[in-house]
Amino acid sequence: MKIAIFGNSYQDEHADGLRRLFGALGRAEEVTLAIQHAYADYLRTVLGDAMPVAELFDPTCDFSAGLALSIGGDGTFLHTAFHVGDKQIPIMGINTGHLGYLSAAPLANAGAIVEAAVSGDYLVEARTMLSVSRALGPEAGNGEWPCALNEVAILRQASASMIAVDTTVDSQPLARYLCDGLIVATPTGSTAYNLSAGGPILAPSAPSWVLTPVAPHSLNMRPIVVADSAVVEVEPHSRAGFFTLSIDGMVWTLPEGTRLRIARSKFHTNVVRLRGTTFTDSLREKLLWGVAHQ
């Protein structure tokens, strides 16, 4: 089996854990390692002679694997999901970040991680994603973003006043949001930016999206949950003449008058979960859901 490995370069304090993890992977039988080129460059500085024998790959080019390991935090997981794209490779998150909500286990559990990865003794959850395309505007038809695991956010530019976001759902007018931005979040992303903006938590399997305004001008503009079969179209208006489009943390500046079409992606992300862990476990342990403060 080939395991593709993604990571970030902010892991100096986890050097011992990385040595244990890659040592165990290197000893695993019938396993081939392929490491993202940029991450391999970083690992050489951390692991030195303990650097495992591995293929190198460029994630922007075609590659294949039976499993992807994402070593880092949730941002690294989203980066991995973006590059896995339509390959549908299961992704196992190994947390070295702050929260690691999408991760299957912390780096400290290196032995259990490798055992599960090599044996295939894990569960895989198919998570729905969003796709975004330009429906109208100066560059209509020239821009398409096929997969967003967490959210699509339409935001005012940093130095601009609030924006107006004309929004339709399945071609029916919903609202003109006067706000700092509008988030369209998946169930997976409901615990990310959406939650910080006051939106609800959705169960990962819920067939829904949530639309949440960011700092709305009117207090009666509340989050709304719609079916994930719905097509959402937004047309932002701004005195600055531009607005910001953020897709899972990747950012573009687009001109006013651009209408965006947001719908369910034809791909999904296969998220690995270790046996014995549940969605509610993550809520309690990582978000302190229902935990009384001491």
Side-chain angles (χ1 to χ4, degrees), residues 204-247:
S205 59
S208 308
W209 312 134
V210 56
L211 280 65
T212 300
V214 179
H217 181 67
S218 174
L219 294 180
N220 63 6
M221 302 301 284
R222 311 306 300 167
I224 183 172
V225 176
V226 300
D228 68 1
S229 59
V231 175
V232 178
E233 290 197 1
V234 296
E235 187 173 339
H237 302 276
S238 169
R239 291 179 182 176
F242 295 90
F243 67 95
T244 296
L245 171 65
S246 174
I247 301 176

Side-chain angles (χ1 to χ4, degrees), residues 89-142:
I89 301 169
I91 304 172
M92 177 183 287
I94 301 174
N95 185 34
T96 64
H98 173 63
L99 182 62
Y101 192 79
L102 293 170
S103 299
L107 182 59
N109 294 2
I113 292 167
V114 173
E115 183 178 348
V118 173
S119 66
D121 186 23
Y122 51 76
L123 303 175
V124 178
E125 295 179 345
R127 303 288 184 91
T128 53
M129 293 194 290
L130 294 163
S131 68
V132 188
S133 59
R134 291 187 179 98
L136 178 69
E139 301 176 28
N142 294 332

Side-chain angles (χ1 to χ4, degrees), residues 26-99:
R27 292 188 298 271
E29 297 181 357
E30 299 182 359
V31 170
T32 300
L33 302 181
I35 304 178
Q36 180 188 12
H37 196 286
Y39 188 49
D41 290 341
Y42 169 73
L43 284 176
R44 288 190 190 96
T45 68
V46 176
L47 301 181
D49 294 340
M51 180 74 180
V53 175
E55 301 175 9
L56 303 183
F57 71 96
D58 180 346
T60 63
C61 301
D62 192 32
F63 66 95
S64 63
L67 178 70
L69 295 185
S70 173
I71 305 173
D74 289 336
T76 303
F77 196 100
L78 295 175
H79 169 84
T80 304
F82 174 79
H83 285 297
V84 166
D86 61 351
K87 297 177 176 62
Q88 305 291 269
I89 301 169
I91 304 172
M92 177 183 287
I94 301 174
N95 185 34
T96 64
H98 173 63
L99 182 62

